[in-house]
């Protein structure tokens, strides 16, 4: 049996020559570690922890403080639960915080929850149930809805009845755009996460997408068609259109399509088209975020960027941007 570690030790030339993806050696698992990077989230961390502690299937919650100067540490320290642990990351960044938590995690599954989001009741149970039905999966994931800074629901993704996302070998689809979006809706097998090296700390944005692509290069994904997370949209979000532009996310595209493990597993001749699709996906996402925050002129500018890359992609990008105005 060839493991993920065996794959990563192959030279690039040998990986490219391998015609069939070897299966990752996996086992039956139930223990879940939740890793929460936290920096100046005193307004939300209590609610986030309550949502995680309410999941009876969670064996431990590791909060990694990344240099908070507010009451974040005090709030976490005041919660008395034997499953809760607090670590310090000394302002090394969110990816380093997640990697640190993962290194100390004892669970066979990892869930990376942002410190301002909320797990919905039964979220982890639903993911584990899906995992039991997909023993080859290295990642199982669901869907999310959006809330505002006050915790009020603003998304209407529950209207997307019966929507399904990809399962199985998802690498090509994932390389064309991050359909997972938020780590709080996913369980990653700890063995596989460590085998691919965790999150790339050199990336400031979309580091999760790059990580998911590397995981997809060594194993299968499985989708659970349920809303599992309340994803908070507010001005502090790193993906907020008020602060970032699509070009801030392009280094991640370069990283994905310069990654030997990912490129070795993509079908021959598809990289250029997938890279263009990834650019369109991120620009469209930026337009959607701009609309959500009422910055319509900015959204039009981003749609123009889509048109410059592909006129054929413009109608769909425009439709997605318009739907974002209604929380879909």
């Amino acid at each position: 049996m060839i493991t993920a570690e065996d794959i990563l030790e192959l030279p690039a030339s040998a990986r490219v020559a391998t015609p069939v993806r070897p299966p990752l050696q996996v086992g039956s698992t139930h223990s879940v570690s939740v890793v929460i990077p936290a920096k100046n989230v005193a307004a939300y961390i209590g609610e986030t922890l309550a949502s995680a502690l309410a999941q009876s299937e969670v064996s431990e919650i590791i909060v990694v403080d990344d240099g908070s100067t507010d009451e974040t540490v005090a709030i976490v320290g005041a919660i008395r639960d034997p499953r809760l642990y607090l670590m310090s990351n000394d302002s090394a960044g969110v990816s380093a915080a997640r990697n640190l938590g993962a290194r100390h995690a004892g669970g066979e599954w990892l869930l990376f929850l942002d410190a301002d989001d909320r797990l919905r009741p039964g979220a982890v149970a639903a993911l584990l149930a899906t995992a039991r039905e997909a023993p080859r999966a290295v990642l199982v994931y669901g869907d999310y809805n959006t809330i505002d800074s006050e915790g009020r629901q603003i998304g209407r993704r529950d209207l997307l009845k019966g929507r399904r996302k990809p399962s199985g070998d998802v690498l090509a689809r994932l390389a064309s755009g991050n359909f997972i979006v938020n780590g709080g809706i996913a369980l990653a097998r700890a063995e596989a996460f460590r085998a691919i090296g965790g999150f790339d700390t050199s990336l400031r944005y979309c580091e999760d997408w790059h990580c998911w692509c590397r995981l997809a290069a060594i194993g299968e994904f499985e989708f659970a068609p349920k809303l599992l997370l309340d994803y908070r949209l507010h001005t502090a979000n790193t993906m907020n259109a008020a602060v970032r532009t699509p070009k801030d996310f392009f280094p991640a595209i370069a990283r994905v399509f310069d990654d030997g493990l990912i490129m070795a597993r993509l079908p021959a001749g598809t990289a250029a088209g997938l890279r263009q699709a990834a650019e369109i996906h991120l620009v469209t996402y930026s337009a959607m975020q701009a609309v959500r925050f009422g910055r319509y002129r900015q959204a039009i500018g981003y749609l123009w960027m889509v048109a410059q890359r592909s006129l054929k992609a413009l109608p769909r990008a425009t439709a997605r941007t318009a739907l974002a105005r209604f929380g879909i």
Side-chain angles (χ1 to χ4, degrees):
M1 178 73 72
I2 299 177
T3 67
E5 289 85 350
D6 296 326
I7 296 171
L8 296 179
E9 288 173 0
L10 291 173
S13 59
R15 292 201 302 266
V16 171
T18 305
V20 179
R21 186 210 322 266
L24 183 74
Q25 190 170 7
V26 297
S28 175
T29 62
H30 298 282
S31 56
V32 175
S33 295
V34 176
V35 176
I36 305 176
K39 184 169 185 176
N40 295 333
V41 286
Y44 309 113
I45 187 64
E47 191 176 7
T48 299
L49 287 173
S51 76
L53 290 168
Q55 313 283 325
S56 60
E57 298 79 11
V58 169
S59 54
E60 63 180 358
I61 301 169
I62 302 173
V63 177
V64 184
D65 181 68
D66 194 33
S68 294
T69 57
D70 65 1
E71 297 301 310
T72 295
V73 171
I75 292 170
V76 176
I79 298 174
R80 302 302 177 193
D81 192 294
R83 294 176 294 166
L84 180 61
Y85 303 89
L86 176 63
M87 305 180 67
S88 176
N89 190 45
D90 297 327
S91 299
V94 65
S95 290
R98 289 174 179 147
N99 289 343
L100 177 63
R103 284 197 299 272
H104 288 83
E108 295 174 77
W109 291 99
L110 301 172
L111 187 148
F112 296 100
L113 180 63
D114 287 344
D116 54 356
D117 294 339
R118 299 184 309 216
L119 288 171
R120 291 188 163 199
V124 173
L127 288 170
L128 284 175
T130 298
R132 283 190 287 270
E133 297 298 318
R136 292 173 58 87
V138 297
L139 185 141
V140 294
Y141 70 105
D143 213 336
Y144 64 90
N145 218 332
T146 51
I147 57 176
D148 64 13
S149 58
E150 302 302 319
R152 296 182 293 257
Q153 181 173 309
I154 55 177
R156 299 178 182 176
R157 298 171 72 88
D158 53 315
L159 298 178
L160 301 173
K161 302 294 186 182
R163 186 176 73 148
R164 298 199 65 87
K165 292 185 178 182
S167 292
D169 183 349
V170 304
L171 179 58
R173 173 66 180 81
L174 186 60
S176 70
N178 184 11
F179 52 76
I180 296 177
V181 181
N182 188 302
I185 63 170
L187 292 183
R189 203 175 288 272
E191 175 191 16
F193 177 81
R194 295 177 183 122
I196 58 97
F199 295 99
D200 187 338
T201 57
S202 71
L203 292 173
R204 292 191 64 190
Y205 309 108
C206 302
E207 72 291 330
D208 54 343
W209 174 47
H210 171 250
C211 180
W212 309 147
C213 284
R214 284 178 64 81
L215 280 171
I218 66 169
E220 297 180 356
F221 285 21
E222 191 69 26
F223 176 59
K226 297 179 182 294
L227 297 177
L228 306 177
L229 182 80
D230 291 324
Y231 174 24
R232 197 181 303 268
L233 294 179
H234 54 84
T235 54
N237 285 126
T238 57
M239 297 290 279
N240 183 359
V243 181
R244 308 300 174 194
T245 71
K247 290 183 180 179
D248 290 309
F249 311 136
F250 288 172
I253 296 177
R255 183 69 185 90
V256 166
F257 290 95
D258 190 38
D259 188 301
L261 178 62
I262 295 170
M263 295 302 292
R265 299 302 172 192
L266 287 176
T270 62
L274 291 173
R275 182 169 186 154
Q276 182 188 58
E279 289 187 4
I280 291 170
H281 175 89
L282 272 174
V283 174
T284 302
Y285 181 81
S286 298
M288 294 166 64
Q289 291 292 79
V291 164
R292 286 175 177 136
F293 288 97
R295 293 173 171 82
Y296 302 111
R297 181 176 298 180
Q298 203 173 39
I300 292 171
Y302 294 156
L303 289 175
W304 173 244
M305 291 176 65
V306 171
Q308 289 177 309
R309 286 163 171 78
S310 170
L311 286 173
K312 184 178 180 180
L314 183 59
R316 185 172 186 270
T318 302
R320 291 185 64 198
T321 302
L323 287 172
R325 176 64 181 83
F326 302 100
I328 299 176

